[in-house]
Amino acid sequence: MPARTAKPHSIAKSEARRLWLEAQRLNVAAPFGAGPEATREAVEHLGYVQIDTINVIERSHHHILFTRIPGYRREDLHQAQTIDKSLFEYWTHALSYVPTRDFRFYAAAMRAHRKKPEDWFGAASRKDQKRVLKMIRESGALTIRDIEDDVLVDKVHPWASRKPSKRALQIAFYGGILTISERVGMLKTYELAERHFGWEAPPKPASDRQYLDYLIDRGLRAQGIVSLDSLCHLEARSKPGVRKLIEGRVRRKTLVPVAFEGSGKTEHWAAPELLDAPEAPVDDGLVHILSPFDPLIIQRKRLKLFFDYDHIFEAYVPKEKRKLGYFALPVLVGDEIVAALDLKTDRANRKLLIQKWTWIGKGAAKLHKKPVEEALQRFERFQLGM
């Protein structure tokens, strides 16, 4: 029977939320323990952790990890990327930290980039590319600051660089020839991938079928209940293949269709063992101040469907039109989003500033205020490295 006609398993929306929070490991306080191993395990479980350049508070990759690892230290991520080499950077729906064990699932995209470099960063001449790669081969890993460009070129995009060497580095990075061996703030060190990872030969690229299965398995692990949109976030070209594989799994009864209040025509699926498992309740006293790039928040339509909350990212909205604030952070208490806090770190005076506090949801604000304030104190200590 095709997946689109199978009778769905009906659950309450609260149960759908619980299963997603459990999959995201936001239902308990410290699901991964602490230290560099916890950082590796968190990224392996989630599948990716998005990197972002905005730093009014701590950047998103550190924030997302702190949310799930209360004892997280920034050096833990450095250890995983640069020393243990258990994580690497590459493009998912955005530039992200990805488990090194999953490298082969990105190798086909790297090969495609080598055959036809994208125009996003503009072209770099063969001469520039050869020059940069020769420098790294002969002198070792380097940053863009280590390279002098005699001539600057026009930008082809607002975020592009005028330095031909920067474009050459990016082309080699997306082609998998170079990898980012170290990151200090937003300054990246580039190294030959084979030398960084110590490979005699790079991992064999996954087949198209293996890649699509990977998208499904990654989503089931980190989302619990999945939809075609959630599995293929910003990757519409994969949808036909993923749907076909889902239909096969439904026929084999390794996936079942799921429906819940408000899900409407959006099809969802889950593993039957997930639905049959004993309930793992969400800690109602647990408070998470979430990054707008957190995996729970980044898919806005899914967030609204499960939580009845429509998050608005307003960093690029004119000030007079903002409702929640420049960089509002959703606040999760138990299984409800109760507030959005527009925060800013005053690093000079070592303070976390509350620009705006907006209450959301059905719960009484006075019941949530104290636990949210306590969470803010912990968040401030993290922001300031205390």
Side-chain angles (χ1 to χ4, degrees):
M1 180 184 295
R4 61 175 61 90
T5 59
K7 185 178 179 180
H9 181 96
S10 182
I11 62 173
K13 179 177 280 192
S14 59
E15 175 70 358
R17 279 199 303 270
R18 182 189 70 79
L19 291 172
W20 189 14
L21 290 172
E22 182 182 353
Q24 279 290 303
R25 298 299 188 260
L26 292 172
N27 61 324
V28 293
F32 299 105
E37 281 299 294
T39 296
R40 175 189 61 77
E41 289 178 14
V43 179
E44 287 182 347
H45 177 81
L46 295 172
Y48 60 83
V49 167
Q50 183 173 337
I51 299 168
D52 193 76
T53 59
I54 297 176
N55 70 335
V56 290
I57 60 165
E58 183 54 270
R59 290 187 171 95
S60 64
H61 40 290
H62 294 304
H63 184 172
I64 293 166
L65 290 167
F66 168 74
T67 297
R68 293 160 178 82
I69 308 170
Y72 171 75
R73 303 175 304 165
R74 293 156 185 83
E75 51 265 38
D76 293 340
L77 183 56
H78 181 272
Q79 168 90 23
Q81 178 177 24
T82 303
I83 300 172
D84 298 341
K85 302 169 187 175
S86 59
L87 305 177
F88 74 104
E89 295 185 27
Y90 202 66
W91 191 268
T92 55
H93 68 286
L95 187 63
S96 303
Y97 282 101
V98 184
T100 302
R101 71 177 189 184
D102 294 345
F103 192 96
R104 70 191 188 96
F105 296 110
Y106 297 88
M110 295 173 181
R111 183 170 57 191
H113 278 291
R114 290 196 297 273
K115 290 180 178 178
K116 188 179 179 182
E118 292 190 71
D119 294 331
W120 181 266
F121 300 109
S125 70
R126 287 274 187 185
K127 181 180 177 181
D128 289 324
Q129 294 179 58
K130 288 180 178 179
R131 178 172 69 96
V132 166
L133 290 175
K134 183 180 179 182
M135 289 178 65
I136 294 175
R137 286 194 183 99
E138 294 180 353
S139 303
L142 53 74
T143 73
I144 188 60
R145 294 178 184 174
D146 299 319
I147 306 174
E148 294 292 334
D149 286 279
D150 295 330
V151 179
L152 300 180
V153 295
D154 292 335
K155 289 188 175 187
V156 296
H157 188 279
W159 298 332
S161 173
R162 295 189 63 208
K163 298 183 72 172
S165 57
K166 176 67 172 179
R167 297 180 180 185
L169 288 170
Q170 290 167 327
I171 288 170
F173 167 74
Y174 282 102
I177 299 167
L178 299 179
T179 193
I180 296 169
S181 59
E182 184 176 18
R183 176 184 284 270
V184 179
M186 296 309 288
L187 181 65
K188 297 170 281 192
T189 298
Y190 293 86
E191 173 61 294
L192 295 172
E194 58 190 26
R195 193 158 66 193
H196 173 71
F197 292 110
W199 293 328
E200 291 185 5
K204 181 181 178 181
S207 67
D208 291 345
R209 164 68 184 267
Q210 288 170 333
Y211 176 70
L212 296 177
D213 274 322
Y214 164 72
L215 290 182
I216 296 171
D217 293 336
R218 184 182 71 181
L220 289 169
R221 183 179 66 244
Q223 299 173 7
I225 297 174
V226 301
S227 68
L228 206 56
D229 283 342
S230 76
L231 295 173
C232 304
H233 180 50
L234 299 182
E235 195 171 340
R237 67 186 181 201
S238 296
K239 285 184 176 182
V242 167
R243 172 174 280 285
K244 184 176 180 180
L245 292 179
I246 287 174
E247 290 173 351
R249 293 191 187 201
V250 171
R251 286 194 298 269
R252 296 191 298 275
K253 302 187 186 306
T254 57
L255 280 183
V256 296
V258 175
F260 54 89
E261 180 189 355
S263 60
K265 295 182 179 179
T266 303
E267 296 173 282
H268 291 86
W269 300 272
E273 58 269 24
L274 177 74
L275 301 175
D276 294 338
E279 181 174 328
V282 178
D283 183 346
D284 290 337
L286 196 59
V287 179
H288 290 302
I289 299 171
L290 298 171
S291 166
F293 302 107
D294 193 279
L296 193 79
I297 304 298
I298 194 64
Q299 297 194 36
R300 305 284 192 250
K301 289 182 180 179
R302 177 178 169 91
L303 178 69
K304 183 173 178 59
L305 196 62
F306 280 69
F307 285 87
D308 300 311
Y309 169 62
D310 192 9
H311 185 71
I312 306 170
F313 183 65
E314 299 179 319
Y316 305 116
V317 174
K319 186 175 182 180
E320 64 276 9
K321 294 184 179 180
R322 292 175 193 153
K323 298 177 181 179
L324 301 178
Y326 176 82
F327 202 69
L329 310 179
V331 181
L332 179 72
V333 177
D335 68 348
E336 182 186 5
I337 294 175
V338 304
L341 304 180
D342 184 24
L343 303 180
K344 180 179 180 180
T345 302
D346 181 352
R347 295 176 175 88
N349 294 306
R350 298 186 62 75
K351 291 181 180 179
L352 183 66
L353 307 178
I354 302 175
Q355 310 281 78
K356 187 173 182 179
W357 186 316
T358 305
W359 285 109
I360 295 162
K362 301 174 183 177
K366 63 181 181 181
L367 297 178
H368 296 311
K369 195 168 189 299
K370 183 177 180 181
V372 172
E373 286 177 340
E374 291 172 349
L376 273 169
Q377 292 173 5
R378 295 191 296 272
F379 194 65
E380 181 178 54
R381 291 194 291 270
F382 164 66
Q383 294 295 312
L384 301 174
M386 298 166 64

